Amino acid sequence: MPRRTMIEAIRDAMDVSMGRDEKVVVFGEDVGFFGGVFRCTQGLQAKYGKSRCFDAPINESGIVGSAIGMAAYGLKPCVEIQFADYMYPAYDQLTQEAARLRYRSNGDFTCPIVVRMPTGGGIFGGQTHSQSPEALFTHVSGLKTVVPSNPHDAKGLLIAAIEDPDPVIFLEPKRLYNGPFDGHHDRPVTPWSKHELGEVADGHYTVPLGKAAISRAGSALTVLAYGTMVYVAQAAVEETGIDAEIIDLRTLLPLDLDTIVASVKKTGRCVIVHEATLTSGFGAELSALVQENCFYHLEAPVARVAGWDTPYPHAQEWDYFPGPARVGRALLETMGA
Amino acid sequence: MADAGMLRFHVPEPEVRPGGTPDFSNVPIPKAGSVPRPDIDVDPRSIRDHAFSIIRVLNRTGEAVGPWAGLLSSDELLTGLRHMMTLRTFDARMQMAQRQGKTSFYMQHLGEEAVACAFRKALAPGDMNFPTYRQAGLLIADGYPMVTMMNQIYSNEADPLKGRQLPVMYSSKEHGFFSISGNLATQYIQAVGWAMASAISNDSRIAAAWIGDGSTAESDFHSALVFASTYKAPVVLNVVNNQWAISTFQGIARGGSGTFAARGLGFGIPSLRVDGNDYLAVHAVAKWAAERARSNLGPTLVEYVTYRAGAHSSSDDPSAYRPKTESDAWPLGDPIVRLKNHLITLGVWSDERHAQAEAEILDTVIAAQKEAESHGTLHAGGKPSTRDMFEGLYAEMPPHLRRQRQQAGV
């Protein structure tokens, strides 16, 4: 099976979707001729023409707002916000319009759009190239929020998102674009070509939205993670020797609660890991759900390892990023509690 | 450079406040028939004056004059008059229903009836409007059932939106009326997107965007003009300048000079101003802009100069911020009176027939109201189910909503 980077997998997902359905259009800043600042749309304009893949003015509200209008017409826009940090001008369109169109019109109009946005830190991106704003989407009724962690899932989830009849926020951890990253910034990074999850089938396949994956089976403790933190958790598990079960949530909303609850009931312990800031982050929702659904099975408090409640700094990158050492400490503490 | 002294902060103010004498003498009103009608493929640079003048057809004596006249038959004008009268009567009855506690909220169109009613007649089937909350004339003029509008206003068991939306936030794809949102200006860029989609699909349908004077200050107004200009989208960008944004006079959005139409010029978009209380002028300009869009010539911006004669909404009291008699002083008059006089001038209408039509329309609206109220009003009779609150958010209800629906006991 061919191996692809996450960038190539995402591009392939759009290529496959555009090839299968002429209603799929792709646009955003630098997305057309140039092929995207991360190369995710390279070649699509040449292959499908300027009517299907084109450059947009630097106006995030305009990109999402026009996509909503296109969706109301009957197209399936898959648009790009260059960095998740720059989605805020579009937040009004996403939360008040895309999320509610089906509901407020009782299905008269719908909004089958996908809004792709590179997310997450670990790249010395500083304050506005590192943010993880997923909690600002999971709090919004009517949106679906997806975060892939590997090329295979990225392609399958993106095709599923494009085919989904509802608006999907598709957060791409840019730290994982070229290879998995476990937080050990002092070690060389392995490219996806050397990783089995870099195996991405040709053609059409989907990974269903709303289904988590168990990325490591274990019995001592449950780790809930997504995006880059899946690999950080794996490193922490290996380094602590704890037989943890790592769940890659993949879709944050709708959430695969069944998989989470079954695992925590089995292990009795739960550590939640995300890059986003702690307070009111998605981890708080996960923690509450675990507590509500697994209270009598819990043998330790649910722990959260997250970004500090500060803007994402530049020089202090590795003091901020929740790396394997911090996650490992939380694992040990949760086991000892 | 010499010291210029302390800076002074500027906040625009309307000419007159409550207690003052309304004065629109500073509003230049060109003579009817004085603004030329260019070809639709005109170079935008050659019609810059159109963004500063006012296209008018009906003169003071009720005659249709000039190059924008002559597009509508007497029968079409009589129909247009009936639409405007219907909307006004509908408004009065629903305003009263709100005062009677049958609904929570209402917004009238008083004085602005010509804008949406005449515009609708310039569109073709399949075209899509992206209206604000003050374009119900689009529905009336397209024959959307009044009973259904009332069911929405009453949030009753027959409400097509299942009680989820505030009154007047209608939606009808079938009638080319996009779902209204409470968020101002958002639909303006969506209209451009819809038009882009039509062009991408090599369709022949066009979109119409709607916004008020106050909301042009929102960033989505700018987004829409940029995208419409960049992609030459087949869209008519309508700005309804009714002089007021709740309590705020239009100078707060516009500043001290220029016009709203002039905003389009910087984007290379042909921009026209039209007498919004002149049914014939609104229709003629709308048709011109729609033909441009349909001929792949790109967007047009149209500013309708009108006056919000009523309160902003049922929750508003304009006497707190403008003279009570200001609408009487408005130099462009009343759209219904002006079309009525024109039809009398043509010899196809009379005061008697007008009074008779008023009575007939009132009967029709009251009958519709009775039927709607048989399905319930906000606090009495049939209402949407609690289940309806959970449904229709996603195409398929996700597990967490199913659990919450169970918790709610439905």
Side-chain angles (χ1 to χ4, degrees):
Chain A
M1 198 179 288
R3 292 201 173 177
R4 292 177 164 93
T5 67
M6 197 188 264
I7 289 167
E8 290 162 344
I10 286 164
R11 183 193 306 151
D12 196 33
M14 285 184 272
D15 190 354
V16 166
S17 298
M18 293 174 89
R20 283 167 61 94
D21 185 352
E22 64 178 16
K23 291 188 169 70
V24 177
V25 293
V26 168
F27 64 101
E29 295 156 19
D30 303 295
V31 159
F33 181 82
F34 179 56
V37 295
F38 290 108
R39 321 310 299 150
C40 287
T41 56
Q42 191 171 29
L44 295 179
Q45 185 175 83
K47 185 168 178 182
Y48 296 101
K50 286 202 292 183
S51 291
R52 301 281 307 283
C53 177
F54 52 93
D55 290 316
I58 302 174
N59 184 324
E60 287 77 15
S61 184
I63 290 167
V64 174
S66 61
I68 293 168
M70 289 182 192
Y73 175 92
L75 298 187
K76 290 182 178 176
C78 176
V79 302
E80 178 180 303
I81 303 293
Q82 203 160 78
F83 288 87
D85 315 59
Y86 300 134
M87 68 81 185
Y88 300 95
Y91 199 58
D92 190 28
Q93 290 285 350
L94 288 168
T95 60
Q96 313 274 34
E97 299 290 324
R100 297 178 185 181
L101 186 54
R102 177 189 294 277
Y103 187 74
R104 76 173 197 233
S105 71
N106 193 29
D108 201 18
F109 295 93
T110 61
C111 190
I113 66 170
V114 177
V115 184
R116 295 178 40 243
M117 44 183 105
T119 188
I123 57 149
F124 281 96
Q127 295 188 22
T128 54
H129 299 79
S130 307
Q131 295 173 28
S132 298
E134 60 271 16
L136 296 174
F137 298 118
T138 55
H139 191 57
V140 179
S141 311
L143 296 179
K144 295 180 177 178
T145 302
V146 176
V147 191
S149 69
N150 61 69
H152 169 269
D153 285 359
K155 177 176 171 181
L157 287 165
L158 183 52
I159 294 175
I162 291 169
E163 292 173 358
D164 195 274
D166 291 310
V168 180
I169 307 295
F170 197 84
L171 294 159
E172 301 167 1
K174 55 189 166 298
R175 178 69 240 205
L176 302 181
Y177 268 160
N178 291 304
F181 179 68
D182 62 8
H184 284 295
H185 52 93
D186 47 349
R187 298 178 192 168
V189 176
T190 316
W192 283 115
S193 59
K194 302 258 169 60
H195 199 287
E196 61 181 12
L197 287 170
E199 288 189 349
V200 176
D202 289 330
H204 179 269
Y205 71 88
T206 59
V207 171
L209 306 187
K211 295 301 276 184
I214 295 177
S215 73
R216 183 194 189 279
S219 58
L221 179 152
T222 300
V223 177
L224 303 181
Y226 48 92
T228 309
M229 287 302 126
V230 171
Y231 304 98
V232 173
Q234 283 170 1
V237 164
E238 281 167 28
E239 288 156 26
T240 55
I242 295 167
D243 182 26
E245 182 148 286
I246 300 172
I247 298 180
D248 178 356
L249 298 175
R250 301 200 290 198
T251 303
L252 307 190
L253 199 111
L255 184 68
D256 185 356
L257 188 61
D258 292 346
T259 297
I260 295 169
V261 169
S263 177
V264 177
K265 282 187 173 172
K266 180 178 72 177
T267 64
R269 290 177 163 85
C270 181
V271 175
I272 296 158
V273 193
H274 59 59
E275 280 184 70
T277 49
L278 181 74
T279 302
S280 301
F282 190 63
E285 179 64 27
L286 291 171
S287 175
L289 286 169
V290 168
Q291 189 270 138
E292 284 165 18
N293 289 278
C294 312
F295 185 75
Y296 296 105
H297 295 79
L298 282 174
E299 294 170 37
V302 176
R304 286 182 290 160
V305 185
W308 308 116
D309 283 337
T310 69
Y312 207 111
H314 184 241
Q316 301 91 335
E317 175 83 80
W318 306 118
D319 300 318
Y320 181 92
F321 185 91
R326 268 177 69 198
V327 175
R329 278 198 297 278
L331 298 179
L332 291 167
E333 282 168 18
T334 302
M335 288 308 295
Chain B
M1 191 178 163
D3 183 3
M6 282 189 297
L7 292 167
R8 290 179 308 280
F9 183 54
H10 174 68
V11 180
E13 276 292 330
E15 297 279 329
V16 192
R17 286 296 192 184
T21 307
D23 178 14
F24 288 106
S25 59
N26 64 333
V27 181
I29 308 290
K31 280 177 73 170
S34 65
V35 179
R37 185 179 190 278
D39 291 334
I40 56 169
D41 59 354
V42 66
D43 181 342
R45 287 169 298 186
S46 68
I47 57 161
R48 293 177 67 87
D49 289 349
H50 282 68
F52 297 94
S53 191
I54 301 179
I55 295 164
R56 306 178 63 229
V57 172
L58 293 175
N59 66 15
R60 283 167 188 274
T61 53
E63 293 161 326
V65 295
W68 296 87
L71 292 178
L72 290 167
S73 69
S74 299
D75 281 349
E76 286 169 323
L77 290 173
L78 286 166
T79 303
L81 181 67
R82 186 166 281 268
H83 290 152
M84 291 199 288
M85 292 168 74
T86 302
L87 178 57
R88 186 166 291 185
T89 306
F90 181 92
D91 272 347
R93 294 296 300 185
M94 290 297 100
Q95 175 78 10
M96 199 190 306
Q98 191 277 335
R99 294 295 188 237
Q100 293 166 339
K102 291 173 180 172
T103 186
S104 63
F105 183 72
Y106 192 68
M107 303 182 95
Q108 299 192 77
H109 307 75
L110 192 64
E112 300 177 39
E113 291 89 347
V115 177
C117 288
F119 185 89
R120 189 68 189 83
K121 290 301 180 187
L123 294 182
D127 294 341
M128 184 63 71
N129 284 284
F130 286 73
T132 77
Y133 46 65
R134 222 185 296 279
Q135 274 86 46
L138 296 169
L139 289 173
I140 298 274
D142 200 52
Y144 187 75
M146 271 190 290
V147 177
T148 312
M149 294 169 77
M150 290 169 174
N151 289 336
Q152 196 281 326
I153 291 164
Y154 288 143
S155 287
N156 63 21
E157 66 187 8
D159 174 4
L161 307 183
K162 305 285 183 189
R164 295 174 190 147
Q165 271 275 49
L166 205 61
V168 314
M169 307 278 180
Y170 315 104
S171 173
S172 176
K173 191 177 198 169
E174 190 190 342
H175 288 267
F177 191 96
F178 185 73
S179 159
I180 295 178
S181 167
N183 292 61
L184 299 177
T186 48
Q187 78 288 344
Y188 219 57
I189 174 67
Q190 292 165 3
V192 176
W194 196 98
M196 288 163 66
S198 187
I200 286 169
S201 309
N202 303 130
D203 199 346
S204 60
R205 295 180 285 161
I206 65 166
W210 293 88
I211 203 165
D213 46 282
S215 302
T216 61
E218 290 279 7
S219 50
D220 277 339
F221 177 69
H222 173 261
S223 302
L225 266 58
V226 173
F227 277 63
S229 164
T230 298
Y231 301 112
K232 294 204 184 308
V235 60
V236 183
L237 299 160
N238 296 309
V239 178
V240 182
N241 175 9
N242 67 14
Q243 316 299 321
W244 290 95
I246 307 187
S247 74
T248 313
F249 93 114
Q250 44 98 11
I252 292 287
R254 183 180 57 80
S257 61
T259 65
F260 291 103
R263 303 259 144 121
L265 298 179
F267 295 85
I269 298 173
S271 304
L272 302 85
R273 281 180 106 214
V274 57
D275 179 346
N277 291 11
D278 180 340
Y279 186 95
L280 286 81
V282 168
H283 175 267
V285 171
K287 202 165 174 58
W288 188 88
E291 279 176 14
R292 259 183 56 78
R294 219 179 298 283
S295 306
N296 217 37
L297 293 164
T300 306
L301 191 146
V302 182
E303 175 185 346
Y304 303 87
V305 183
T306 183
Y307 184 85
R308 195 196 77 209
H312 164 71
S313 73
S314 57
S315 309
D316 176 47
D317 173 17
S319 71
Y321 51 80
R322 69 184 191 189
K324 278 185 177 168
T325 54
E326 194 176 81
S327 67
D328 300 333
W330 176 243
L332 296 175
D334 179 296
I336 292 179
V337 173
R338 286 175 65 193
L339 183 55
K340 174 192 164 195
N341 289 342
H342 174 58
L343 289 164
I344 291 172
T345 306
L346 290 180
V348 297
W349 200 239
S350 66
D351 284 319
E352 295 73 33
R353 289 170 76 173
H354 194 81
Q356 192 188 342
E358 271 179 342
E360 284 168 13
I361 288 167
L362 182 61
D363 285 348
T364 311
V365 175
I366 288 173
Q369 194 175 1
K370 278 191 180 142
E371 189 185 333
E373 289 179 10
S374 75
H375 295 290
T377 59
L378 180 59
H379 300 297
K383 56 169 69 175
S385 77
T386 310
R387 262 182 102 83
D388 286 326
M389 180 170 74
F390 292 97
E391 282 166 358
L393 180 58
Y394 297 91
E396 194 181 328
M397 189 177 291
H400 71 284
L401 272 184
R402 285 205 302 275
R403 286 193 295 273
Q404 290 174 26
R405 192 181 64 183
Q406 275 183 330
Q407 284 170 8
V410 290

